[in-house]
Amino acid sequence: MDGPTIERVIEEADRRAERLIGWMRISVALALGVVFAAFVVGASPPDDPIILAQLMLARLTLVTCLVIGVAALVVSTKRLYRPLYAYVFVAADVGFVLMSLSIALGNTNTAPAFAPLLPSMWLVPLILALNALRYRAGVQAFGGALLVVGLVTLGFLEPPPAAFPTTNLMQTPPNVMRLAMITAASAVLFLAVRRARGTLARAVAEERGRREIGRYLPPQVASLIAGGDEAITGGRRQEVVVLFVDIRAFTARSEAAAPEAVSAFLATYRTLIVEAANACGAIVDKFVGDGALLVFGIPEPREDDRAKALLCASTILGAVEAWSARRVAAGEDGVAIGIGVHAGEAFVGALESAGRLEFTVLGDAVNVAARLEEATKKFQASALASAAVVAGVDAKALGVALENVGPVMLRGRSERVAAFAIAPPREL
């Protein structure tokens, strides 16, 4: 497909997440540094060796957090970033927290069972939260597992020695509950991240599907298929109004003009058709050379489809007549078209052929519309609509002028079709 793949979009989201986490590390380190300087350093006894060691550890912790954040910003550039870096930074975060805990326990001569009392311990929820920003379930599980294994290795679950003053809150059972809560928090964040990442992947896949479908189908039909409209994807018989447009003497015009001029001519012509179709609620089924097939009644037939088709035919006639006048004024050839409009039952659907979807409208209604367009030459009319279209429509209220030309014999048909000529609008 044109544009980014799902993998590239997600990798770009990962890179941006890593960069955001880097900035958050730096912000947290600076914020905690301000709090540390304002409320801890000045209030600490200046001659207590244990306190001094803890203050030094705190400074080291903040500086390390800052350094890891800066490193994340450096490698999260498009040129340097690799998805593996997420695991490296998670391991660095966890290792940094566990080392900080280990040093703090040694400085204070504290048993590991009292680790929850140390400030370093409460960096654990921050690490889990930062991991969640990556929207990578594997990284979240990896970080949670490292934390749990590291805390167990530190002796977090070992009971304190008898010489240590203990309370019920620092016994093994409460610490088991704390460890269980850390594990549960990691599991919940894992599920949240996996769900969010799945949602992102589905959203990108749906957008890619819409783009891919839109390359071959009318935008309105592509939207219906992307939305799961089974009536369109499977096909069905239904009432439609078909409008067929063709340029007069296009073959002779093409032979006498340069290819670039023909291309520009068709581009302008098709723009006029699409604008009229959009204004009147039609779907442009397809362009084939200088021919265009418009359909009214997709996805569901409406009572005003016939009126819209007549108005669309009149609008196209007016637009082409004005375009032709501009061309003549510029010294170029004028433009004449023929339009046929008919209402009836047809098969409508998006069918797969040779690995690609194609929107199809098949049936007698299409054939009659094309034959009516041919018959406009015989009757020297710009547009003909069948009685099946005109019946029940208040043409005067629409501002559409109709003239009954009587029963028309169409090529390839045994019965005549009652037809009406459509005039372009009076004011161009």
Side-chain angles (χ1 to χ4, degrees):
M1 74 173 229
D2 295 333
T5 62
I6 295 177
E7 292 75 16
R8 284 175 55 194
V9 170
I10 292 180
E11 182 173 324
E12 176 62 16
D14 289 341
R15 186 188 69 79
R16 291 177 180 274
E18 202 63 58
R19 189 168 184 82
L20 173 62
I21 294 171
W23 279 116
M24 292 192 68
R25 285 193 190 94
I26 294 172
S27 300
V28 168
L30 294 176
L32 290 178
V34 171
V35 173
F36 176 77
F39 299 100
V40 177
V41 175
S44 302
D47 53 355
D48 189 324
I50 294 179
I51 296 298
L52 291 176
Q54 285 298 97
L55 293 177
M56 182 59 67
L57 176 62
R59 293 187 181 94
L60 179 62
T61 299
L62 295 175
V63 170
T64 303
C65 183
L66 190 65
V67 169
I68 294 176
V70 172
L73 290 184
V74 171
V75 302
S76 62
T77 60
K78 288 186 177 181
R79 185 172 60 86
L80 297 177
Y81 179 75
R82 299 293 182 275
L84 181 64
Y85 291 163
Y87 290 92
V88 173
F89 282 112
V90 167
D93 286 337
V94 173
F96 144 65
V97 170
L98 293 176
M99 184 175 296
S100 178
L101 273 174
S102 178
I103 295 173
L105 290 172
N107 287 342
T108 58
N109 194 28
T110 303
F114 289 90
L117 296 177
L118 300 173
S120 299
M121 181 67 181
W122 300 108
L123 289 171
V124 170
L126 177 61
I127 297 302
L128 294 175
L130 288 176
N131 286 347
L133 290 176
R134 292 184 172 93
Y135 290 103
R136 296 178 64 180
V139 174
Q140 185 67 39
F142 176 70
L146 280 184
L147 281 169
V148 172
V149 171
L151 290 173
V152 171
T153 303
L154 280 179
F156 183 69
L157 298 181
E158 296 178 5
F164 239 81
T166 64
T167 67
N168 290 334
L169 293 179
M170 291 297 112
Q171 295 289 348
T172 296
N175 280 349
V176 169
M177 291 303 300
R178 292 184 178 94
L179 192 61
M181 284 187 285
I182 293 174
T183 304
S186 180
V188 170
L189 290 171
F190 167 82
L191 295 175
V193 169
R194 188 171 70 174
R195 182 182 179 190
R197 191 177 184 85
T199 301
L200 174 62
R202 286 192 298 273
V204 175
E206 288 175 4
E207 179 60 26
R208 181 176 67 177
R210 289 190 185 95
R211 288 187 182 183
E212 194 69 24
I213 293 171
R215 294 174 62 187
Y216 307 109
L217 301 178
Q220 302 94 324
V221 176
S223 178
L224 292 171
I225 292 176
D229 191 313
E230 295 181 357
I232 294 297
T233 55
R236 66 180 178 187
R237 294 170 66 93
Q238 69 167 79
E239 288 290 323
V240 294
V241 182
V242 180
L243 187 154
F244 190 83
V245 192
D246 191 62
I247 299 176
R248 294 279 183 265
F250 180 73
T251 301
R253 181 189 297 273
S254 300
E255 290 177 353
E260 296 81 3
V262 174
S263 176
F265 176 85
L266 280 179
T268 302
Y269 162 70
R270 292 182 175 185
T271 298
L272 294 178
I273 298 298
V274 171
E275 288 177 350
N278 291 340
C280 299
I283 285 179
V284 180
D285 175 12
K286 59 177 65 70
F287 285 104
V288 180
D290 61 319
L293 180 62
L294 281 62
V295 185
F296 297 80
I298 306 296
E300 296 292 339
R302 296 180 179 274
E303 293 183 0
D304 61 350
D305 285 338
R306 291 170 172 79
K308 287 181 176 180
L310 289 175
L311 182 60
C312 188
S314 179
T315 301
I316 291 173
L317 289 176
V320 171
E321 191 168 323
W323 175 39
S324 179
R326 292 193 299 271
R327 286 178 58 85
V328 171
E332 299 176 310
D333 294 337
V335 184
I337 62 171
I339 297 177
V341 191
H342 184 59
E345 190 175 63
F347 175 84
V348 176
L351 305 180
E352 186 170 356
S353 175
R356 126 178 179 177
L357 283 175
E358 181 177 357
F359 181 62
T360 301
V361 180
L362 301 172
D364 192 53
V366 180
N367 297 333
V368 172
R371 299 295 182 260
L372 283 169
E373 184 278 320
E374 287 182 0
T376 58
K377 303 172 186 176
K378 177 181 178 181
F379 288 90
Q380 296 183 345
S382 295
L384 290 177
S386 68
V389 176
V390 174
V393 176
D394 188 349
K396 289 185 178 180
L398 291 174
V400 177
L402 298 176
E403 180 185 349
N404 191 343
V405 298
V408 177
M409 180 59 72
L410 302 179
R411 181 171 62 87
R413 296 184 65 84
S414 58
E415 297 182 358
R416 294 177 180 270
V417 174
F420 295 78
I422 306 173
R426 294 177 182 176
E427 296 183 2
L428 301 179

